[in-house]
Amino acid sequence: MAKPKGQYRFSFGPWNIDEGADPFGPPVREPIPLQNKMKTAKKLGFDGMQFHDDDVVPDIDTKSASQIAKEATKIKTMLDSEGLVPEFVAPRLWFAPETIDGAYTNNSARLRAYAIDRTTQAIDIMNILGTTSMVIWLAREGTYIRESKVARKQVLQIRDAINAFLAYDPKIRILIEPKPNEPVDSAIISTIGHAVGLSYMSDDPMRVGCLVESAHSVLAGLDPSDDMAYALAHDKLWSVHLNDQGNMKFDQDKSFGSYNLRRAFNQVRVLEEYAYGRNGEWVGLDVKAMRTQKKAVGTKHISNSKQTFLYLLDKVTSLNTDLEAELIKARDYEELDRYILCHLMGKKY
Ligand code: 3MF
Ligand code: MG
């Protein structure tokens, strides 16, 4: 799909409008029905929605295949009537008792089989919704203590699972979303480099790419824009989860640009420079409302993040690239630094 420069399509998931529970306290906002979340998405100028399998079919493990198909069809009709496109489906492989000690890398063959089955079911849901993209966030594939798993074997188990899904449906593409830790102490596919490496180990590397989440890169001590550039160099940046993160804390999913505006600017810059979206890739936001927000203002993190992206896009497209090139040529990086800061602060340079 040809994309004019500077034009983007935005998406988020139902989990991004949440009830505000955290590990230390209960929900503080009333739940909002899925259809209302869809209406909010449209109202805020979003054209796409991302889903976990059980966002589409709640309590999925208790339902038969025909019940799952029936409920997914209902959601498809709802999406169509709201004028929204499903971006991807991600199997939620970290909630069920079967995945307590990992999904594809569980030490039990029976529980590994559960994870494979659950994922093929997610592929069936994708087909009903009408998307060929599956995101896998490998939440519990790693270790709480290193001696509990054989790390090399885990890598091959994930590769084999990916190959099984590629064979199950030749139309799908798999996007690996890496994260270095949380909920596990140490994740086996922890960075975008690991994800890209794993894609080349698969039976069909052209159908395995990745999703870079800003906060996950920061948690790994890396710069999100460099991670995006790395994936772009491999033609494997197939989605992004923009948000922000204050260094090595718990996964914060703050509004895009909220912590480090320059870091956010450089993410927009790299996406714009390499015409991200030209093959239909979405700008996904994976942001969380602060627990302090009341229900009526519980979606500002989403609209603010999109607006910050668009404001930063203005900053990217209005950058004086001749001046930038001149300063690079002169190797006057102190001056380049000052120019970028003045530009971001809206000060006359
Ligand atoms: C965790 C995440 C997840 C994934 C989602 C889709 C809950 O840190 O970022 O959000 O993005 O499961 O893969
Ligand atoms: Mg995410």
Side-chain angles (χ1 to χ4, degrees):
M1 191 190 301
K3 175 191 93 84
K5 277 202 142 230
Q7 280 190 23
Y8 294 90
R9 305 192 293 173
F10 296 89
S11 65
F12 66 84
W15 66 90
N16 296 119
I17 302 178
D18 76 340
E19 291 88 60
D22 69 17
F24 305 97
V28 290
R29 293 181 287 266
E30 290 288 305
I32 292 174
L34 182 56
Q35 186 152 19
N36 294 10
K37 292 184 182 181
M38 290 186 188
K39 287 189 192 304
T40 301
K42 209 62 204 175
K43 202 172 79 202
L44 300 180
F46 287 72
D47 294 314
M49 250 216 149
Q50 316 179 336
F51 293 97
H52 294 120
D53 52 356
D54 59 359
D55 292 323
V56 181
V57 182
D59 302 316
I60 194 167
D61 285 329
T62 66
K63 291 176 181 164
S64 68
S66 66
Q67 183 66 21
I68 290 170
K70 202 169 121 198
E71 292 187 30
T73 307
K74 229 175 89 187
I75 301 299
K76 166 69 176 158
T77 309
M78 201 185 277
L79 278 168
D80 288 348
S81 71
E82 300 300 337
L84 286 166
V85 178
E87 183 194 349
F88 66 69
V89 176
R92 196 191 298 270
L93 292 167
W94 51 93
F95 226 79
E98 287 86 346
T99 59
I100 288 172
D101 192 25
Y104 311 133
T105 67
N106 200 296
N107 282 334
S108 146
R110 182 179 65 81
L111 300 179
R112 289 198 299 276
Y114 163 87
I116 303 273
D117 274 3
R118 170 99 186 223
T119 309
T120 53
Q121 211 167 47
I123 297 173
D124 297 342
I125 292 175
M126 282 162 53
N127 278 313
I128 295 172
L129 293 194
T131 175
T132 52
S133 297
M134 177 167 74
V135 166
I136 47 174
W137 169 45
L138 302 164
R140 296 194 191 275
E141 319 295 11
T143 52
Y144 296 92
I145 60 159
R146 209 147 257 105
E147 297 81 3
S148 65
K149 297 274 168 81
V150 182
R152 180 180 182 277
K153 198 163 112 189
Q154 284 186 293
V155 177
L156 302 182
Q157 282 169 329
I158 299 171
R159 176 202 62 189
D160 293 347
I162 287 175
N163 286 341
F165 310 139
L166 292 172
Y168 181 78
D169 186 339
K171 293 185 306 302
I172 65 157
R173 299 198 313 168
I174 298 173
L175 287 67
I176 304 168
E177 178 180 349
K179 183 179 179 183
N181 59 275
E182 197 196 35
V184 287
D185 177 54
S186 188
I188 194 80
I189 305 300
S190 46
T191 69
I192 219 65
H194 293 78
V196 168
L198 184 60
S199 79
Y200 289 123
M201 289 169 73
S202 77
D203 286 343
D204 195 352
M206 296 291 283
R207 291 164 59 213
V208 185
C210 45
L211 178 157
V212 170
E213 172 159 328
S214 327
H216 296 180
S217 296
V218 176
L219 282 169
L222 300 169
D223 184 280
S225 68
D226 285 350
D227 277 0
M228 288 172 189
Y230 184 81
L232 283 163
H234 290 271
D235 288 326
K236 285 185 184 293
L237 187 64
W238 297 349
S239 191
V240 290
H241 268 173
L242 300 185
N243 55 19
D244 211 358
Q245 171 72 26
N247 307 322
M248 313 293 193
K249 301 186 183 191
F250 61 95
D251 187 10
Q252 294 180 295
D253 295 341
K254 288 177 86 79
S255 291
F256 185 53
S258 144
Y259 224 93
N260 188 327
L261 206 51
R262 187 175 188 170
R263 199 165 61 192
F265 163 75
N266 278 304
Q267 291 170 67
V268 181
R269 188 169 148 268
V270 80
L271 295 177
E272 178 65 7
E273 194 166 340
Y274 295 102
Y276 175 83
R278 70 183 177 281
N279 298 313
E281 299 91 350
W282 293 82
V283 174
L285 303 176
D286 198 358
V287 288
K288 204 175 163 74
M290 291 182 225
R291 193 164 187 265
T292 47
Q293 288 300 99
K294 294 181 182 160
K295 186 183 171 188
V297 287
T299 58
K300 285 197 174 175
H301 58 303
I302 296 172
S303 46
N304 291 350
S305 294
K306 177 167 172 265
Q307 186 177 68
T308 300
F309 181 95
L310 294 172
Y311 283 173
L312 287 172
L313 186 59
D314 279 347
K315 289 290 173 190
V316 169
T317 52
S318 61
L319 202 67
N320 182 344
T321 47
D322 290 342
L323 175 60
E324 190 189 35
E326 211 177 281
L327 296 174
I328 291 170
K329 192 163 173 222
R331 217 178 67 197
D332 191 353
Y333 297 162
E334 291 290 357
E335 194 58 24
L336 178 60
D337 193 34
R338 191 174 85 85
Y339 168 56
I340 298 286
L341 288 178
C342 286
H343 184 66
L344 285 179
M345 291 187 288
K347 292 287 178 196
K348 201 167 156 38
Y349 173 71

